[in-house]
Amino acid sequence: MNRRSGKTTGQAERLQFAIAALQAQREVLGDAVVDTAIASMRERLAALCNGGGESASARTLPAQPQLRQVSVLFADIAGSTAMSRRLGPEELHAVMDGALSRFTAQVQRHRGKVLQYAGDSLLAAFGADGAHEDDAERAVRAGLAILEDATAPNHLAASQQGPDAFGVRVGICTGGVLLGGGVEGEHSIRGQTVHTAARMEQTAPVGGLRIHHDTWRQVRGLFEMQAQPPLVVKGLDEPVSTWLVLRALPQVQAQRGVDGVRPRLIGREHELGCLHAACHGLGDKGGGPQAGPLRLVLLVGEPGLGKTRLLDEFSHWAAAGPRPARRFEARASERRAGQPYGMLRELFTSALQILDSDSLESARSRWMAAASTALQGAAGAAVLGQLLGIDFSNHPEVRGLLGEPRQLRDQGFFHAARWLRDAACADRLTWLLLDDLHWADDGTLDFIEYLQRAHADVPLLIVGLARPTLFERRPAWSEAAAPHQRIDLEPLPIDAGEALAATLLQRLPEAPASLVDLLVEQAEGNPFHMEELVNMFIDQGAIVADTTPWRLQPDRLHAERVPGTLTGVLQARLDALSAPQRVALQLAAVIGPVFWDDALRTLDAQAPTELAALQARSLIHAREPSSLEGRCEFAFKHHVLHQVSYDSVLKRVKKPAHARVASWLATQPGLAHLDQ
């Protein structure tokens, strides 16, 4: 992003928030004053948007304060005071600034933002310039990278202080903060999360990384960690749970669910049956959703509806069947979304057990040994390896393709398809399992289309898991004539939700009906939401899970807060919106989980024009009939989405907006019959 486009985007964001704030002040300032003030602002906003455009990559932190969830990282150089007694000012400057510069590079490499420096320490936030679902993971990986960087030899410090003179501590906490608006401008950050992150760093051992419980919830399963005794943190009523992070684990994904409880698959019998039918039909050229034996099945659903759980159940079923199977598996991630052919690379390297941590020479040697056998020659192995990012640029077959990326791609696709073709045969089921396909790189999606187009006769089952956002990138895949079978996952019906709640609470001797009802109502048919609500109740101490059986303490049961694991997912969706769409959704949240276009218009005259786009993104839906005659009524898709949107609005905006909405409602006929 160049400096000009960044400046333009920041100005556009500030104008949007200024307009929203003025709209909320109509009752105080009057329509004439507000309309006059925002007219010029809208003209400037239109000029900025038309001139520079706006994309997800161009959004930056506005100067106006924001409420949002971030992962805060503190890193501090230990022993700097003692070092200053032995080093001169210039030498100390070279050591400290050199270290902090390297640490800053690690933060930025993991898409974090350094907000403050203080002598021998830095404070960074992940999610400040736009939320990602894996912000906590990025923060922890950055923390480990900083510690690894700190162990590199520092000859100047070592010569003066000895080999143990230079050490670093890192601490991380994930939670809500107020960003911007302070004396430090856009680098201002306030909130208990900041103090807790500082406490994590202060109590970490030298060379160690300590994380708060809320961060652990989001990264468990990704790292090797050691639980620590409860830690007292100033400002918090009770000691908190913390972990020391030792190292990253290879090729795994974050754990979900409630510890000690593995619920059976509930309410997905129809979808599972469709997968069974696709498996049985592999190799059958008659009928089915597409001609030829190759079958692509897309499981499509919003986050948390159980796509991965359904695939696991299907995998176990297929593995226990009479037909032998060979599996190629890959999972895309937001962290690697921009890596060319990244998912395709994982598809083959995971089958060969080649890890990212392997050295280049080791990866190249193991790749050539296995791929040469699969492709019956070193030439095809080198070409495909080069496409997938394993350096074979010195191979004679590759050298002529280095300046021809299209030819390299075409030949690489040919060899990859040939590998899969030879792996598939009539008496063996061969399948590709592609998780989180909505984050896959374009090259991998192109390869899937290539397989369907040029190798439709291969007896191959491809199962892809995706969110509906995939079709924003590949609109043709959503068309009725698309050559694949689509299975859409909807929220669980109430009876299935009740069964899931009872299963998750099975370790309570008698789960009260009121608690089951609360879970069903709050989760709204989303299994992941329900699991995280149970985890939140455990964290609150409302459910005591360290005893057998569990115990319930109803007086500690508070469902007003949204679990941080859900906040991160939904905040990332909000940040993917354009500025006008995001402001419209925030103002709609002020009205309530159910709102009307005319009520929204009283807060921002242009906001209702964004409702169609918000509906297209499945964030809201129209309700008919409207509870107010002659008014178009809408509702948030989920309760937690409304809550996260509402919590992101500043109090100084909420208060006058609530008053404005109350005045509007008082003028509506039939107010006494409203039932939201």
Side-chain angles (χ1 to χ4, degrees):
M1 181 185 74
N2 60 45
R3 186 175 299 176
R4 181 187 179 96
S5 63
K7 182 178 180 181
T8 298
T9 304
Q11 290 173 344
E13 291 272 10
R14 288 191 288 272
L15 282 170
Q16 283 291 343
F17 278 89
I19 290 170
L22 278 171
Q23 292 282 17
Q25 294 281 348
R26 279 185 179 273
E27 188 169 19
V28 176
L29 301 176
D31 290 340
V33 173
V34 171
D35 290 340
T36 301
I38 68 173
S40 61
M41 290 184 179
R42 290 201 182 280
E43 291 177 0
R44 289 166 56 197
L45 179 63
L48 286 170
C49 293
N50 292 335
E54 181 174 346
S55 64
S57 64
R59 283 187 296 271
T60 59
L61 181 67
Q64 292 292 328
Q66 296 183 82
L67 291 168
R68 60 192 302 115
Q69 177 174 286
V70 299
S71 290
V72 178
L73 178 150
F74 271 95
D76 180 76
I77 299 174
S80 59
T81 301
M83 196 183 305
S84 67
R85 290 196 295 265
R86 296 177 180 264
L87 299 179
E90 292 179 84
E91 295 169 326
L92 184 64
H93 171 81
V95 172
M96 292 299 174
D97 274 35
L100 292 176
S101 294
R102 296 194 304 273
F103 300 166
T104 298
Q106 294 293 358
V107 168
Q108 293 172 344
R109 186 168 71 86
H110 290 85
R111 297 177 69 176
K113 181 175 184 177
V114 175
L115 297 178
Q116 298 172 14
Y117 297 96
D120 54 3
S121 66
L122 64 78
L123 181 163
F126 292 76
D129 279 348
H132 303 88
E133 293 181 27
D134 58 352
D135 279 328
E137 177 188 349
R138 294 174 191 268
V140 175
R141 291 189 184 277
L144 290 175
I146 287 172
L147 293 178
E148 183 177 357
D149 184 278
T151 61
N154 186 305
H155 301 294
L156 179 59
S159 65
Q160 300 290 331
Q161 288 282 105
D164 299 325
F166 191 85
V168 175
R169 296 187 300 261
V170 180
I172 298 172
C173 181
T174 301
V177 299
L178 178 67
L179 286 170
V183 295
E184 294 163 317
E186 66 176 20
H187 293 275
S188 176
I189 182 170
R190 299 285 187 271
Q192 181 61 44
T193 299
V194 181
H195 302 305
T196 304
R199 182 65 172 155
M200 296 299 103
E201 175 269 308
Q202 293 160 3
T203 57
V206 175
L209 165 59
R210 185 191 290 267
I211 64 173
H212 182 264
H213 177 83
D214 288 347
T215 304
W216 172 82
R217 273 283 178 215
Q218 301 201 35
V219 302
R220 57 187 179 134
L222 296 174
F223 303 92
E224 181 181 342
M225 296 182 281
Q226 288 182 347
Q228 301 298 296
L231 181 69
V232 175
V233 176
K234 185 177 180 180
L236 299 180
D237 295 334
E238 297 182 1
V240 299
S241 300
T242 69
W243 278 258
L244 291 181
V245 182
L246 305 181
R247 65 184 180 91
L249 296 175
Q251 295 184 338
V252 294
Q253 65 184 78
Q255 292 178 358
R256 288 187 171 183
V258 179
D259 289 341
V261 178
R262 179 170 174 81
R264 59 186 175 85
L265 190 67
I266 295 174
R268 300 299 185 200
E269 293 78 14
H270 171 72
E271 293 86 349
L272 186 59
C274 291
L275 288 175
H276 290 173
C279 186
H280 285 309
L282 190 63
D284 180 11
K285 296 185 180 181
Q290 62 187 73
L294 186 147
R295 287 176 177 263
L296 170 61
V297 181
L298 294 180
L299 291 177
V300 182
E302 296 292 346
L305 286 179
K307 300 183 292 296
T308 301
R309 179 75 178 84
L310 178 59
L311 184 62
D312 287 345
E313 191 78 15
F314 172 63
S315 298
H316 292 145
W317 171 84
R323 206 170 169 190
R326 178 165 186 191
R327 296 164 49 161
F328 293 82
E329 301 180 61
R331 177 176 177 265
S333 69
E334 192 176 12
R335 184 168 60 92
R336 297 182 175 181
Q339 180 182 347
Y341 306 105
M343 193 177 195
L344 187 60
R345 171 188 171 119
E346 184 181 334
L347 196 70
F348 289 101
T349 56
S350 62
L352 303 181
Q353 297 184 328
I354 297 175
L355 306 178
D356 288 344
S357 57
D358 290 341
S359 67
L360 176 59
E361 285 304 319
S362 174
R364 188 157 42 199
S365 175
R366 295 175 65 185
W367 172 269
M368 185 57 75
S372 295
T373 301
L375 295 172
Q376 301 176 9
V383 171
L384 179 56
Q386 181 71 25
L387 180 72
L388 301 184
I390 304 174
D391 184 15
F392 287 101
S393 55
N394 289 327
H395 192 281
E397 193 73 19
V398 173
R399 280 199 296 266
L401 299 173
L402 293 179
E404 302 291 342
R406 183 57 183 263
Q407 289 190 36
L408 177 63
R409 191 203 77 157
D410 291 347
Q411 291 193 33
F413 279 10
F414 171 80
H415 293 300
R418 179 183 168 194
W419 191 332
L420 297 175
R421 174 182 286 276
D422 291 345
C425 59
D427 61 345
R428 180 176 62 189
L429 174 64
T430 302
W431 49 340
L432 274 58
L433 305 181
L434 307 176
D435 201 355
D436 285 340
L437 201 56
H438 49 278
W439 278 325
D441 58 278
D442 287 332
T444 298
L445 299 181
D446 290 342
F447 177 70
I448 294 173
E449 293 180 348
Y450 169 80
L451 278 179
Q452 290 182 284
R453 183 175 63 252
H455 296 271
D457 61 321
V458 181
L460 181 70
L461 176 64
I462 306 174
V463 181
L465 280 59
R467 299 177 188 174
T469 52
L470 172 66
F471 304 118
E472 296 177 10
R473 298 172 57 197
R474 300 283 162 145
W477 289 26
S478 65
E479 296 175 358
H484 60 255
Q485 180 180 359
R486 176 172 170 176
I487 303 174
D488 286 286
L489 270 65
E490 300 294 338
L492 294 175
I494 292 178
D495 57 344
E498 291 173 341
L500 177 59
T503 301
L504 293 174
L505 299 173
Q506 61 185 276
R507 298 178 68 180
L508 277 175
E510 293 184 14
S514 59
L515 179 56
V516 172
D517 291 343
L518 177 62
L519 289 174
V520 172
E521 179 184 354
Q522 295 287 316
E524 297 179 299
N526 189 302
F528 175 54
H529 290 190
M530 189 177 293
E531 291 170 347
E532 292 309 300
L533 285 167
V534 173
N535 283 327
M536 184 180 72
F537 294 150
I538 292 174
D539 294 343
Q540 289 175 347
I543 296 176
V544 181
D546 55 1
T547 63
T548 302
W550 289 355
R551 290 186 295 108
L552 182 66
Q553 299 188 110
D555 58 309
R556 307 192 69 169
L557 201 60
H558 305 291
E560 297 85 4
R561 176 174 165 244
V562 177
T565 45
L566 303 186
T567 299
V569 172
L570 295 173
Q571 189 172 274
R573 293 191 69 185
L574 297 183
D575 282 356
L577 301 174
S578 68
Q581 291 169 358
R582 187 164 58 252
V583 169
L585 196 67
Q586 290 173 315
L587 294 178
V590 173
I591 300 171
V594 175
F595 63 95
W596 301 266
D597 58 345
D598 278 358
L600 185 59
R601 191 172 288 109
T602 66
L603 301 181
D604 185 334
Q606 298 300 314
T609 63
E610 306 297 337
L611 295 178
L614 296 176
Q615 282 184 275
R617 287 178 171 265
S618 297
L619 298 171
I620 63 173
H621 60 88
R623 301 213 322 175
E624 294 182 359
S626 173
S627 54
L628 288 177
E629 186 177 354
R631 309 297 184 191
C632 294
E633 184 170 294
F634 299 87
F636 277 76
K637 193 70 176 287
H638 305 293
H639 163 78
V640 289
L641 174 62
H642 167 259
Q643 192 63 48
V644 169
S645 301
Y646 182 79
D647 289 344
S648 69
V649 182
L650 297 169
K651 288 183 179 179
R652 71 188 193 198
V653 175
K654 286 178 184 174
K655 186 174 181 180
H658 279 307
R660 186 83 182 166
V661 172
S663 297
W664 179 87
L665 285 171
T667 66
Q668 304 306 306
L671 176 63
H673 303 290
L674 286 180
D675 181 12
Q676 296 186 30

